[in-house]
Amino acid sequence: MEVTCLLLLALIPFHCRGQGVYAPAQAQIVHAGQACVVKEDNISERVYTIREGDTLMLQCLVTGHPRPQVRWTKTAGSASDKFQETSVFNETLRIERIARTQGGRYYCKAENGVGVPAIKSIRVDVQYLDEPMLTVHQTVSDVRGNFYQEKTVFLRCTVNSNPPARFIWKRGSDTLSHSQDNGVDIYEPLYTQGETKVLKLKNLRPQDYASYTCQVSVRNVCGIPDKAITFRLTNTTAPPALKLSVNETLVVNPGENVTVQCLLTGGDPLPQLQWSHGPGPLPLGALAQGGTLSIPSVQARDSGYYNCTATNNVGNPAKKTVNLLVRSMKNATFQITPDVIKESENIQLGQDLKLSCHVDAVPQEKVTYQWFKNGKPARMSKRLLVTRNDPELPAVTSSLELIDLHFSDYGTYLCMASFPGAPVPDLSVEVNISSETVPPTISVPKGRAVVTVREGSPAELQCEVRGKPRPPVLWSRVDKEAALLPSGLPLEETPDGKLRLERVSRDMSGTYRCQTARYNGFNVRPREAQVQLNVQFPPEVEPSSQDVRQALGRPVLLRCSLLRGSPQRIASAVWRFKGQLLPPPPVVPAAAETPDHAELRLDAVTRDSSGSYECSVSNDVGSAVCLFQVSAKAYSPEFYFDTPNPTRSHKLSKNYSYVLQWTQREPDAVDPVLNYRLSVRQLNQHNAVVKAIPVRRVEKGQLLEYILTDLRVPHSYEVRLTPYTTFGAGDMASRIIHYTEHNTCHFEDEKICGYTQDLTDNFDWTRQNALTQNPKRSPNTGPPTDISGTPEGYYMFIETSRPRELGDRARLVSPLYNASAKFYCVSFFYHMYGKHIGSLNLLVRSRNKGALDTHAWSLSGNKGNVWQQAHVPISPSGPFQVSPLPGDIAIDDVTLKKGECPRKQMDPNKVVVMPGSGAPCQSSPQLWGPMAIFLLALQR
């Protein structure tokens, strides 16, 4: 069993005025994915270039207290486009297999409730190169009358890419250039934005018949290889030509098998044939094989346009279209139109009357109509006229006009529509003309003008139509502009005048209009009426849940407010405490007049009165609940994440320490915090070390600190912190602390903490220890062991004996660090022992607006056979790097930490554990940007 031992050091409070360490959010975007390059210009424009299909990873580094929450948003390609929410609330934005449409500007918004939010952005440029397309066009023109003809060929190469592609034209293996000879011209057409290049072959010559290749390139950006397409031009090259085996309009009967052939009559290379249907895809069961399209047992729904297209990239595609019409008839309707000239709306003897009949048919113009009176064919006369295509009615409508209506004209008229000779059933519609045939009226039944139902229930709106014949009723909405009915239609027809709604919702409330249709009845001004639908729904209240904190002995007022509901009033309010019913609170007269909220007053918060309160509000339709959690317990602590260099360790021991800092959230809201209960548990272990930490009065913004020691390398720990007041335990906060050597490198790993050998120097640093060092190393030079004194410990070393020469350099480059503070301290141990020791230099390279090397520190000559430590203060505004050269120089334990260097130099012959720098009461100025260190050694 592994035993975890922790040394918990004393609590160190930092007293601050005002907001203390509370600081507004600051943010900076860094990249950690498969970026090709990140560019920066003088206007702080950052462009992240990535290849399509790679993984985009952006990290938003934040500082500020409390810990800022990070939200990612995005605009499309241009700044004028609307925001597109990415729904990412995390410090890291990761997009697998990024697509070109996901390029644009990404915004990181960090906010913590202090000051204004911090917003940073970066533009993501997705790079891609599609396969090119090559098309051929030709023109033939007369020159000098009719003596000869000149043929000109255009080879057009098009590609989609980012960045714009470079085009290279080749004839065979030979590269062509603009105006290479009189017969070749290469140009970019207008309005193509660099995506097209045309090779023009003028006055085609025998040598122009060859293979042509269009090669496109984005110059290997993001590792995207070049792509190419080849076309062979011959003296038979020609665009496609087609003909159909049927007429362009094909009328068939339902149930027939339809076959259409699309025949090639020309084209070189051999064109490809494809069938398509509009609108929508080919019918289910249709088979397109080459140029043959077969549709078995065709139905009316299969009517439409069928397109046969032939392409061979020469000239324009050839296209033939068949309009397939499957005979069908539906929706037979009639209209009764009284004498229009006399503006009559009734049937009267002695006046004219027109009966009209219409069906929806395919093909519409092939429909024939026949009129019958009392079962016999209607005979034409001077007073009985049959017309077709009345301009006042829908197309292909048959009308029977009765001139000077007589009593003998009364009877039953039948209109029959048919397709002569086709196996399509006839459709007919019947209308009775008599003295009882009267125009319609419409009204709402008594008591049905206002319909009130509860949300989720069915509803029925009704309008009664009187008259003979009774036309259908059309329903629409009145009070909402361009509003649709629940069916999704602007108008809905009901034969019985009843509009039935299933599971009504609150947005269905409003005024509905019912009106008579102008078909299957009188063709007169529609009659209309209105019905009001009221949908009742339960109340909505706020707060739905509220945490109420107050010191012991102080009063509390709980209020539950009605936001909306139907009816918009509180019929009853019931209060409960821990599930037990409470007596009704006293009614305030003013509140009784407008009951839109309910209140409960607690005279004093005590341990007994602390707990869960529930207010159930009803409006006679339903109820809603406000929940209040009342207590005097303290809020949770707020961990401070901007502690400079919180992890402290040394390779001699297997342990490390961690500086834990926090503030107390709203300490004045409840009784003063008396102490904290600290629990520390190693992850994947059950046992925890628990300790009580007494404190004096804690103020808002006051930074508290506790140092955890003897944490075992490299384990992580869960830390739980709970405040205690006279009420008892408050809310607990937890976090995970990790051991990391991000800022301290002992060179124990072969990867040497991400340090790299500079490719521009003359020789390299060597990682070695006492067991692996070169036995032929120059005597009386270099360290016998690393700083720990153990033979297994590694360090970085260079030897300056031959073949090294004067001026040779060895440079070791650190990883890039994102600077988040104004001051840093670079500490490292060095060993410079030997007769011909060169110089060891520290360079800082800031990459804010380009790379800039700054000389920060230098040391030369023999310093004895001991390890010594250097502390170098730096103020980076970008990346910085470190590297040593000739003389037998060794380095070990390179550390980068925030803050200033120690004022007092430690004994260079002793192992040094850097002391903590404490925590400032106010946030220091933040400088952001990547940084790295160079250790540079020079041969003298």
Side-chain angles (χ1 to χ4, degrees):
M1 178 184 296
E2 182 176 347
V3 179
T4 303
C5 297
L6 298 176
L7 175 60
L8 304 177
L9 300 186
L11 179 70
I12 307 174
F14 289 81
H15 296 278
C16 307
R17 296 179 179 177
Q19 290 297 309
V21 294
Y22 287 113
Q26 297 194 39
Q28 176 67 23
I29 298 176
V30 297
H31 65 91
Q34 298 170 277
C36 305
V37 64
V38 174
K39 302 176 182 177
E40 301 183 44
D41 62 22
N42 293 331
I43 321 176
S44 300
E45 167 80 5
R46 305 192 64 207
V47 182
Y48 181 107
T49 304
I50 187 172
R51 179 174 176 171
E52 187 174 44
D54 285 349
T55 299
L56 169 72
M57 189 181 296
L58 300 175
Q59 186 177 7
C60 189
L61 301 180
V62 297
T63 61
H65 186 69
R67 184 71 168 175
Q69 298 295 313
V70 174
R71 178 185 184 189
W72 287 94
T73 53
K74 172 188 177 290
T75 61
S78 66
S80 62
D81 290 333
K82 295 181 179 179
F83 261 127
Q84 302 170 0
E85 297 295 338
T86 59
S87 301
V88 174
F89 292 83
N90 198 352
E91 293 183 9
T92 300
L93 174 66
R94 181 184 179 91
I95 301 178
E96 303 280 354
R97 299 186 59 81
I98 189 169
R100 64 191 66 178
T101 55
Q102 293 173 301
R105 181 164 294 280
Y106 286 81
Y107 292 83
C108 158
K109 181 179 181 180
E111 56 185 336
N112 61 355
V114 180
V116 297
I119 300 178
K120 296 293 181 180
S121 69
I122 187 171
R123 184 163 62 87
V124 175
D125 195 13
V126 181
Q127 311 280 276
Y128 58 89
L129 177 64
D130 290 345
E131 295 291 338
M133 294 182 59
L134 197 156
T135 57
V136 180
H137 303 268
Q138 58 184 3
T139 61
V140 178
S141 60
D142 292 332
V143 178
R144 296 180 183 176
N146 294 319
F147 289 102
Y148 67 91
Q149 288 185 321
E150 177 186 87
K151 180 182 287 187
T152 300
V153 173
F154 301 86
L155 285 84
R156 184 185 185 97
C157 186
T158 303
V159 70
N160 294 321
S161 69
N162 183 34
R166 178 180 61 185
F167 293 79
I168 299 176
W169 282 100
K170 294 182 179 180
R171 177 191 287 142
S173 58
D174 298 330
T175 300
L176 298 175
S177 60
H178 180 67
S179 300
Q180 178 174 321
D181 56 44
N182 293 332
V184 174
D185 191 10
I186 299 175
Y187 65 92
E188 177 181 320
L190 296 176
Y191 313 115
T192 59
Q193 299 180 352
E195 297 178 349
T196 301
K197 272 289 193 297
V198 175
L199 173 64
K200 180 180 180 182
L201 304 176
K202 300 178 289 186
N203 191 15
L204 206 63
R205 304 160 298 182
Q207 62 265 33
D208 292 329
Y209 294 114
S211 292
Y212 291 88
T213 298
C214 173
Q215 180 178 329
V216 291
S217 171
V218 289
R219 295 162 290 282
N220 203 39
V221 62
C222 293
I224 300 176
D226 295 353
K227 296 183 180 181
I229 186 171
T230 300
F231 182 87
R232 180 164 184 79
L233 181 66
T234 69
N235 58 0
T236 61
T237 298
L242 292 174
K243 71 175 183 179
L244 291 173
S245 62
V246 297
N247 295 328
E248 292 185 353
T249 299
L250 180 62
V251 181
V252 298
N253 295 318
E256 292 182 356
N257 296 326
V258 176
T259 300
V260 180
Q261 287 187 324
C262 186
L263 305 174
L264 283 171
T265 59
D268 183 25
L270 184 65
Q272 299 293 318
L273 292 174
Q274 184 176 11
W275 280 96
S276 62
H277 178 225
L282 291 174
L284 189 65
L287 179 63
Q289 258 184 339
T292 301
L293 173 66
S294 301
I295 307 175
S297 186
V298 71
Q299 301 299 319
R301 61 179 177 272
D302 300 330
S303 295
Y305 291 93
Y306 291 82
N307 306 305
C308 175
T309 306
T311 56
N312 67 348
N313 291 338
V314 178
N316 296 319
K319 183 177 179 180
K320 291 292 184 179
T321 299
V322 176
N323 183 15
L324 179 64
L325 301 177
V326 182
R327 291 187 178 95
S328 65
M329 286 192 299
K330 60 181 180 180
N331 299 335
T333 60
F334 70 88
Q335 288 180 321
I336 303 173
T337 306
D339 198 322
V340 177
I341 297 176
K342 297 183 178 181
E343 299 181 352
S344 176
E345 290 191 347
N346 296 284
I347 297 177
Q348 298 182 24
L349 296 176
Q351 293 186 357
D352 297 346
L353 181 68
K354 180 166 64 177
L355 306 180
S356 302
C357 172
H358 176 81
V359 295
D360 296 331
V362 176
Q364 188 75 55
E365 64 276 5
K366 299 298 182 179
V367 176
T368 62
Y369 294 93
Q370 188 176 3
W371 285 91
F372 296 82
K373 178 186 177 183
N374 298 328
K376 297 179 180 180
R379 296 182 178 180
M380 299 280 291
S381 66
K382 293 181 179 180
R383 292 195 313 104
L384 194 152
L385 304 176
V386 175
T387 60
R388 186 181 175 94
N389 294 331
D390 190 324
E392 298 179 358
L393 299 172
V396 193
T397 297
S398 178
S399 296
L400 184 148
E401 294 188 51
L402 298 170
I403 310 298
D404 187 18
L405 185 68
H406 293 182
F407 182 82
S408 60
D409 294 326
Y410 286 169
T412 300
Y413 291 82
L414 184 141
C415 172
M416 180 178 293
S418 62
F419 278 126
V424 178
D426 297 339
L427 281 183
S428 62
V429 62
E430 190 177 79
V431 57
N432 184 266
I433 301 298
S434 69
S435 59
E436 297 178 355
T437 305
V438 293
T441 61
I442 193 168
S443 62
V444 179
K446 185 177 181 180
R448 302 290 296 175
V450 178
V451 178
T452 301
V453 295
R454 294 192 176 187
E455 191 171 38
S457 302
E460 183 178 273
L461 311 185
Q462 183 178 359
C463 286
E464 290 183 347
V465 178
R466 300 180 184 275
K468 187 177 181 181
R470 286 190 298 180
V473 174
L474 302 179
W475 287 90
S476 60
R477 299 197 66 168
V478 176
D479 52 349
K480 295 186 178 180
E481 185 178 350
L484 301 178
L485 292 166
S487 62
L489 301 173
L491 281 175
E492 186 170 337
E493 177 186 321
T494 60
D496 58 358
K498 295 179 180 179
L499 178 65
R500 296 172 176 86
L501 306 176
E502 301 292 334
R503 297 184 59 83
V504 296
S505 59
R506 63 193 65 181
D507 59 340
M508 295 182 187
S509 296
T511 304
Y512 289 73
R513 176 192 294 115
C514 59
Q515 63 183 34
T516 56
R518 300 183 70 168
Y519 53 87
N520 290 349
F522 276 75
N523 181 22
V524 294
R525 176 181 53 84
R527 275 60 168 166
E528 64 179 49
Q530 294 184 352
V531 178
Q532 177 69 34
L533 175 63
N534 294 332
V535 179
Q536 295 183 332
F537 55 91
E540 295 180 14
V541 295
E542 68 172 1
S544 58
S545 179
Q546 184 177 7
D547 187 11
V548 180
R549 306 291 176 101
Q550 186 61 276
L552 292 173
R554 295 181 183 176
V556 167
L557 180 65
L558 307 180
R559 169 179 284 198
C560 183
S561 299
L562 177 65
L563 290 179
R564 61 188 64 88
S566 178
Q568 180 74 17
R569 61 180 178 81
I570 296 178
S572 64
V574 177
W575 287 89
R576 288 181 174 85
F577 173 58
K578 296 181 180 179
Q580 300 298 317
L581 191 65
L582 292 177
V587 178
V588 180
E593 297 175 2
T594 57
D596 60 353
H597 67 272
E599 292 182 347
L600 177 66
R601 179 179 179 85
L602 304 180
D603 294 332
V605 175
T606 64
R607 287 183 177 85
D608 294 336
S609 64
S610 297
S612 177
Y613 288 81
E614 174 185 308
C615 178
S616 179
V617 171
S618 172
N619 67 346
D620 292 335
V621 176
S623 60
V625 174
C626 294
L627 292 177
F628 302 91
Q629 191 66 37
V630 178
S631 75
K633 67 178 182 179
Y635 287 104
S636 60
E638 303 163 315
F639 285 112
Y640 188 69
F641 288 86
D642 297 334
T643 306
N645 199 33
T647 304
R648 303 172 183 176
S649 64
H650 194 272
K651 68 170 71 175
L652 276 179
S653 65
K654 298 294 185 179
N655 300 332
Y656 69 97
S657 63
Y658 194 91
V659 180
L660 187 70
Q661 294 181 316
W662 71 93
T663 59
Q664 177 60 40
R665 178 187 169 195
E666 301 297 339
D668 298 328
V670 295
D671 298 292
V673 176
L674 303 176
N675 60 75
Y676 288 90
R677 181 180 183 268
L678 178 66
S679 171
V680 182
R681 179 184 64 85
Q682 180 181 317
L683 295 187
N684 302 321
Q685 298 288 325
H686 296 291
N687 297 331
V689 175
V690 180
K691 184 176 179 61
I693 307 172
V695 293
R696 298 178 181 177
R697 180 172 180 83
V698 179
E699 297 179 0
K700 184 178 178 64
Q702 178 182 345
L703 188 64
L704 306 175
E705 177 179 301
Y706 209 89
I707 301 178
L708 307 176
T709 63
D710 292 334
L711 305 175
R712 295 183 62 81
V713 175
H715 298 293
S716 299
Y717 291 82
E718 180 191 40
V719 176
R720 296 185 177 184
L721 196 61
T722 307
Y724 276 77
T725 64
T726 54
F727 177 79
D731 292 338
M732 180 268 296
S734 67
R735 66 171 294 191
I736 304 297
I737 58 174
H738 301 280
Y739 172 75
T740 176
E741 288 192 356
H742 177 74
N743 292 333
T744 300
C745 186
H746 303 302
F747 302 110
E748 299 300 317
D749 193 314
E750 291 183 357
K751 296 181 181 179
I752 58 174
C753 314
Y755 281 73
T756 57
Q757 307 281 358
D758 191 357
L759 299 179
T760 64
D761 58 9
N762 306 102
F763 64 109
D764 289 341
W765 288 78
T766 302
R767 175 179 169 269
Q768 64 182 36
N769 60 15
L771 303 178
T772 61
Q773 65 185 12
N774 187 353
K776 296 182 180 181
R777 189 174 74 181
S778 301
N780 299 322
T781 60
T785 65
D786 75 336
I787 184 63
S788 69
T790 60
E792 296 82 10
Y794 282 90
Y795 56 91
M796 299 301 290
F797 177 76
I798 55 169
E799 185 171 358
T800 59
S801 57
R802 295 180 181 179
R804 301 276 68 83
E805 298 180 357
L806 181 65
D808 280 358
R809 301 184 305 164
R811 176 176 289 186
L812 189 65
V813 183
S814 81
L816 286 174
Y817 299 111
N818 287 286
S820 59
K822 185 174 183 179
F823 300 107
Y824 279 84
C825 182
V826 181
S827 302
F828 55 93
F829 287 89
Y830 60 88
H831 191 284
M832 303 175 66
Y833 176 53
K835 292 183 179 180
H836 304 290
I837 293 294
S839 62
L840 178 63
N841 297 273
L842 176 70
L843 279 69
V844 178
R845 170 173 291 176
S846 297
R847 204 173 74 182
N848 190 13
K849 297 179 181 178
L852 177 64
D853 292 349
T854 303
H855 194 274
W857 178 89
S858 180
L859 189 66
S860 303
N862 187 345
K863 302 303 176 185
N865 190 15
V866 291
W867 283 99
Q868 302 186 65
Q869 189 176 28
H871 303 286
V872 183
I874 61 173
S875 299
S877 59
F880 81 88
Q881 304 174 302
V882 181
S883 153
L885 236 174
D888 291 355
I889 301 175
I891 60 170
D892 201 0
D893 288 14
V894 180
T895 299
L896 170 67
K897 74 168 189 174
K898 297 179 183 179
E900 298 180 351
C901 292
R903 297 181 181 179
K904 182 179 179 180
Q905 291 289 332
M906 308 300 293
D907 185 345
N909 298 309
K910 294 182 180 180
V911 176
V912 177
V913 179
M914 299 302 297
S917 60
C921 291
Q922 298 179 355
S923 60
S924 59
Q926 305 291 315
L927 294 179
W928 291 94
M931 64 181 179
I933 355 177
F934 297 82
L935 281 171
L936 175 64
L938 300 175
Q939 177 69 47
R940 300 179 67 186

